[in-house]
Amino acid sequence: MSNLIIRKVAVLGAGVMGAQIAAHLINAKVPVILFDLPAKEGSKNGIVEKSLANLKKLSPAPFGDAAHAAYVEAANYETDLAKLAECDLVIEAIAERMDWKHDLYAKVSPHLAAHAIFASNTSGLSINELANGFSDELKKRFCGVHFFNPPRYMHLVELIPTAHTDASTLDNLESFATTTLGKGVVRAKDTPNFIANRVGVFSILAVMAEAQKYGLSFDLVDDLTGSKLGRAKSATFRTADVVGLDTMAHVIKTMEDNLKDDPFASNYPVPAVLKALVEKGALGQKSGAGFYRKEGKEIKVLDATKGEYVTGGAKADELVARILKKPAAERFKLLRETDHPQAQFLWAVFRDVFHYIAVHLESIADNARDVDFAIRWGFGWNEGPFETWQSAGWKDIAGWVAEDIAAGKGLSNAPLPAWVSEIDGVHTAAGSYAPAKKAFVPRSSLPVYQRQAFPAVLVGENGADPKTAGTTVLENDAIRLWHQGDDVLIASFKTKMNTIGPDVLDGLVQAVEIAEKDYAGLVIWQTGSITGGPFSAGADLQAAMPLFMQGGAKAVEPFVKKFQDTAMRVKYAQVPVVAAVAGLALGGGCETLMHCAYRVAHLESYIGLVELGVGLVPAGGGLKEAALRASVASNTTGISNQTEFVKPWFQNVAMANVAKSARDAQAIGYLLPTDTIVFNIHELLYVAKSQARALANAGYRPPLAAANIVAAGPSVKATLQSMIVNMRDGGYISAYDAELATRVAHILSAGGVEAGTLVDENWLLKLERDNFIEALGKPKTQERIMGMLSTGKPVRN
């Protein structure tokens, strides 16, 4: 496979999907030209410019840093088609009309570079039909690349070849989507709605049909089919509202129009209740009403029999809720045998989906693995449908489904395929079942996947467990030090939310000592990061409470000093210490990564010094590092007044701001511009280890001890104090927040010494420590800490 170098991408269509695909490409630092029709008035690129402006208002945010919207180049089809020749990848993302797409293709194809990959982001139209009229050469470079909405956050991308697509085109695009864009790639066959929407939308249709049969309300169904099943909290009908009922109806209509010979075809007409809502403009969240409608602060639910919105909040029966907590085999046996209508409904929904995926596996996917990952990554299920079937007992479930089909209870009378009874499950250590090959096929051997030490694992695969993998060097209840048979030591915390208490601090010091003796570098990586866990939620306040109860605030000082000493040991280690960051990195977690030699962060990293929220000031070296960096920036630019360098640090700490992405963390300063941002969570450890090794190979030396930090001084503190008054009087912070913020200003300005005075790190660390202990002694701080420990929510006092 030759290297695919993507210097620039064009996205055709500045609608909801096209604009957000462009935004995510910019997140990955891929230059983008975003095209749309020429505006009839004003700037020719007005449609694109308006779309980009709207992106900044969306939540969740499409851009990792909103300022990066300026990097998207606006263009239109009338004056800018020649710019397509600059692009190595062109993604079409206009409305789902075959005729509109063909018209656009005829317009743009003469301008494509001879090597460029051309791809459609269609959600379900035939890729082969879209390629009709292309030259043989362009057909080799054309395929479907189906992103899910919102593209920044949804892990799934489906790749769909035509009959003529070159294998190298798909391999290159899969590698680009995996590493550069951070996606989980599934290859689908060219069938209507491909894999995820085909199975996911059928599951929604099954829920609607069975809910009507058992007379269950929409809100009750959502309570039954959401987090209780390991799926998105928005469940079924809330999800439909968020997606848009018109969009949902369109996807269903695609199935109805193109799958007339399907044995489940009788289920494909748009359900009457959905059709009626769309016809009257109730399109879900975007129109203010759908299956749900917000009235004031109350969320009401549609009563389909009355045709009006009523008070909702129906919950699953306790009997059924208990059944859903049972182990898989027992759970399904009870659901099937229990007479309660909610249990019967749930069994029916699972049965319908099991039946459907068995009948259609061979026609829509190469193997069962692709179906399960498509649903997990595209619809937010914790387990794919084949995984659930297998974990519940393959043979038993198959028998029960067959019995129901024979009894006429299914949504189709099509029998289960013969292969179902010939195997004991679809996922094994050897691979996943492919009916066409009558074999278990292994995962892709593309080089990009060698970067994933711990890829997503399916039930039955027996993949490596990161909690026990490799060779353990040292382990206790707080931390594990281990390696993968090479020269980089890994430290993984084992505490709840990876909080940092005395035992973790001891473990980190031991990790540095062991790494200095026997390894090229040390990486701090948390095993839960691959499933969305935090880097660290900060210092373990619970561990400090016994000290406080026995001796008051002053008794906690040794713990704070130990935290600071550990941070300094990490900073001045004789081998590079690299933080592999993903998820939350708050308070002490943020301070830990700030002291590392280098940081490799997943895009979805949320970093901040949030101590003021619990009535404390940062005291693990975070403010010391902020003052040091402000001093360095001042010295570098030759601007002696540090106000503009200190202010951003102060504002973010005083407001307890958390970076909304790794890109945002770079803009704030928690990550440095030289730090690496990784887009695929499964590559985080590989890249962090590579960076540690590269630093070691380059002859790494720790920084020289900072003894010449230039104090910002009283004038800067006065400026910060005026900001505190404005924030307090404007209602942005409380009076006690203002008191705490004054302590932060005191530390950042170096404690009242004259501007220009040279201080060292120990001076700033003592300021942190003293102010932390003084704040801890205040009743309002104690209220905040106890409130956080008891409820998990900040107390505003």
Side-chain angles (χ1 to χ4, degrees):
M1 183 182 74
S2 60
N3 288 335
L4 172 68
I5 298 176
I6 302 289
R7 296 176 178 84
K8 186 176 286 187
V9 175
V11 178
L12 311 180
V16 172
M17 282 301 294
Q20 290 197 69
I21 291 169
H24 191 59
L25 286 160
I26 288 294
N27 289 336
K29 292 192 174 180
V30 178
V32 177
I33 308 175
L34 181 59
F35 280 83
D36 211 298
L37 295 167
K40 294 180 180 177
E41 297 179 359
S43 166
K44 287 282 189 182
N45 297 327
I47 293 174
V48 174
E49 290 161 358
K50 182 179 179 181
S51 177
L52 291 172
N54 288 336
L55 284 188
K56 297 178 185 179
K57 304 172 187 176
L58 289 184
S59 180
F63 289 104
D65 182 342
H68 288 181
Y71 291 115
V72 179
E73 182 181 350
N76 68 86
Y77 303 127
E78 183 178 302
T79 62
D80 299 319
L81 286 178
K83 293 182 178 181
L84 290 171
E86 306 168 13
C87 301
D88 306 291
L89 171 63
V90 177
I91 301 172
E92 170 268 308
I94 69 168
E96 293 289 86
R97 283 271 303 265
M98 184 74 73
D99 55 340
W100 289 0
K101 290 179 187 287
H102 277 151
D103 287 346
L104 179 61
Y105 295 175
K107 186 182 296 182
V108 302
S109 57
H111 300 275
L112 300 178
H115 69 281
I117 294 175
F118 190 27
S120 173
N121 183 58
T122 178
S123 60
L125 297 180
S126 169
I127 303 301
N128 280 288
E129 287 188 39
L130 286 173
N132 283 344
F134 286 171
S135 67
D136 291 343
E137 179 57 33
L138 183 53
K139 284 181 179 178
K140 294 177 182 179
R141 295 182 279 115
F142 182 74
C143 64
V145 56
H146 181 210
F147 290 83
F148 274 65
N149 191 23
R152 170 181 162 185
Y153 302 94
M154 296 301 291
H155 192 54
L156 178 65
V157 162
E158 291 176 312
L159 284 186
I160 312 98
T162 70
H164 305 282
T165 307
D166 271 350
S168 62
T169 295
L170 290 178
D171 290 348
N172 280 320
L173 199 51
E174 181 166 351
S175 298
F176 173 76
T178 300
T179 289
T180 305
L181 302 184
K183 299 305 176 186
V185 174
V186 164
R187 295 198 186 188
K189 295 186 178 180
D190 188 18
T191 55
N193 288 347
F194 314 129
I195 299 175
N197 278 342
R198 178 76 173 272
V199 175
V201 170
F202 174 79
S203 75
I204 293 171
L205 289 171
V207 166
M208 291 181 173
E210 301 294 356
Q212 185 176 18
K213 176 180 175 181
Y214 288 96
L216 306 183
S217 64
F218 300 133
D219 54 337
L220 175 57
V221 169
D222 276 352
D223 189 60
L224 286 165
T225 60
S227 55
K228 288 183 173 65
L229 299 187
R231 300 177 185 176
K233 285 178 66 177
S234 55
T236 303
F237 295 103
R238 283 188 190 277
T239 296
D241 273 359
V242 171
V243 169
L245 301 191
D246 52 341
T247 301
M248 184 71 67
H250 173 80
V251 175
I252 295 171
K253 186 80 164 54
T254 300
M255 295 169 72
E256 180 183 9
D257 291 346
N258 296 285
L259 294 168
K260 297 187 183 300
D261 296 328
D262 189 305
F264 290 84
S266 62
N267 301 282
Y268 292 157
V270 178
V273 64
L274 177 57
K275 187 175 182 180
L277 286 169
V278 172
E279 286 176 350
K280 68 180 183 181
L283 307 180
Q285 187 170 282
K286 61 188 174 185
S287 68
F291 289 106
Y292 294 89
R293 186 173 72 188
K294 188 173 184 180
E295 297 182 6
K297 294 186 177 180
E298 184 180 7
I299 303 292
K300 291 195 171 183
V301 62
L302 178 67
D303 183 324
T305 57
K306 297 179 180 178
E308 59 188 48
Y309 291 90
V310 299
T311 299
K315 299 294 182 183
D317 188 276
E318 184 57 35
L319 169 66
V320 176
R322 287 200 303 271
I323 290 174
L324 291 176
K325 294 177 181 178
K326 302 284 186 183
E330 184 180 358
R331 178 168 73 246
F332 276 89
K333 187 173 188 295
L334 288 171
L335 287 176
R336 187 168 187 266
E337 295 177 354
T338 301
D339 290 335
H340 197 293
Q342 293 178 23
Q344 288 292 296
F345 159 76
L346 286 171
W347 160 249
V349 168
F350 277 109
R351 175 205 63 218
D352 296 339
V353 173
F354 294 156
H355 185 190
Y356 192 81
I357 59 176
V359 169
H360 287 299
L361 172 58
E362 185 171 353
S363 65
I364 66 173
D366 176 67
N367 60 74
R369 176 175 53 249
D370 289 342
V371 172
D372 277 344
F373 278 144
I375 294 300
R376 275 171 55 170
W377 296 338
F379 279 77
W381 296 14
N382 287 352
E383 279 188 345
F386 277 121
E387 287 185 280
T388 300
W389 181 349
Q390 183 162 329
S391 62
W394 184 266
K395 295 288 189 184
D396 286 340
I397 294 290
W400 297 339
V401 171
E403 286 178 23
D404 279 13
I405 294 170
K409 296 180 180 179
L411 294 182
S412 167
N413 59 9
L416 290 175
W419 63 262
V420 171
S421 61
E422 296 168 357
I423 60 175
D424 294 319
V426 290
H427 303 305
T428 69
S432 296
Y433 194 71
K437 298 174 183 175
K438 295 189 179 299
F440 293 89
V441 297
R443 293 195 178 208
S444 170
S445 60
L446 285 176
V448 67
Y449 294 113
Q450 304 310 307
R451 298 162 60 92
Q452 300 184 9
F454 303 103
V457 177
L458 296 164
V459 168
E461 281 191 320
N462 300 322
D465 183 352
K467 294 179 181 178
T468 57
T471 301
T472 299
V473 175
L474 181 151
E475 184 171 15
N476 55 39
D477 291 340
I479 197 167
R480 178 180 178 233
L481 309 182
W482 57 289
H483 62 80
Q484 296 177 294
D486 53 28
D487 59 351
V488 177
L489 186 66
I490 304 166
S492 300
F493 303 171
K494 296 173 60 180
T495 51
K496 184 178 180 181
M497 296 289 285
N498 297 325
T499 52
I500 304 169
D503 292 343
V504 170
L505 296 173
D506 288 340
L508 276 177
V509 171
Q510 287 178 290
V512 171
E513 291 172 349
I514 293 170
E516 287 178 337
K517 182 174 180 291
D518 295 320
Y519 296 87
L522 170 65
V523 167
I524 304 172
W525 177 78
Q526 313 300 11
T527 58
S529 64
I530 55 177
T531 53
F535 176 74
S536 173
D540 186 352
L541 295 177
Q542 195 81 54
M545 288 311 293
L547 297 172
F548 176 79
M549 299 302 290
Q550 292 170 16
K554 196 68 178 172
V556 180
E557 185 169 9
F559 171 60
V560 180
K561 180 69 162 60
K562 185 173 189 171
F563 203 117
Q564 294 179 338
D565 290 346
T566 302
M568 294 292 278
R569 184 71 177 93
V570 166
K571 180 173 181 177
Y572 292 106
Q574 295 301 305
V575 293
V577 181
V578 175
V581 185
L584 295 176
L586 304 178
C590 175
E591 291 172 306
T592 298
L593 68 88
M594 289 175 74
H595 283 83
C596 290
Y598 196 86
R599 287 141 296 274
V600 175
H602 183 241
L603 177 68
E604 303 308 331
S605 295
Y606 308 103
I607 304 170
L609 296 174
V610 296
E611 284 85 348
L612 267 69
V614 289
L616 296 168
V617 296
L623 295 180
K624 177 264 296 181
E625 284 295 302
L628 171 58
R629 294 179 188 184
S631 171
V632 170
S634 172
N635 185 58
T636 302
T637 59
I639 301 173
S640 59
N641 187 322
Q642 293 187 33
T643 301
E644 296 308 312
F645 304 109
V646 173
K647 268 175 60 178
W649 286 103
F650 171 76
Q651 287 173 311
N652 284 303
V653 175
M655 300 293 290
N657 286 340
V658 176
K660 299 175 180 64
S661 72
R663 289 273 181 250
D664 193 28
Q666 282 183 318
I668 289 172
Y670 294 129
L671 298 179
L672 298 179
T674 51
D675 289 334
T676 296
I677 295 177
V678 167
F679 277 61
N680 195 311
I681 191 67
H682 298 287
E683 296 183 356
L684 182 64
L685 179 59
Y686 171 88
V687 176
K689 287 177 60 178
S690 299
Q691 289 289 357
R693 194 172 290 115
L695 287 169
N697 290 341
Y700 176 79
R701 296 291 302 167
L704 296 173
N708 57 346
I709 303 167
V710 180
S715 63
V716 172
K717 182 180 178 180
T719 301
L720 301 182
Q721 196 64 53
S722 68
M723 292 172 61
I724 293 170
V725 172
N726 289 336
M727 287 190 290
R728 183 198 63 200
D729 293 349
Y732 295 104
I733 61 175
S734 69
Y736 192 59
D737 290 327
E739 184 178 327
L740 294 168
T742 298
R743 295 184 180 278
V744 172
H746 183 65
I747 298 165
L748 287 174
S749 59
V753 299
E754 288 302 313
T757 303
L758 299 182
V759 300
D760 62 13
E761 290 178 276
N762 288 327
W763 172 269
L764 294 168
L765 288 172
K766 187 174 187 306
L767 285 173
E768 284 188 358
R769 205 160 59 243
D770 290 347
N771 280 274
F772 180 95
I773 299 304
E774 289 171 11
L776 182 58
K778 302 287 185 180
K780 287 196 173 185
T781 285
Q782 294 160 25
E783 287 175 16
R784 290 191 180 193
I785 292 173
M786 295 309 297
M788 178 62 73
L789 291 176
S790 60
T791 68
K793 296 179 181 179
V795 173
R796 189 77 185 267
N797 57 7

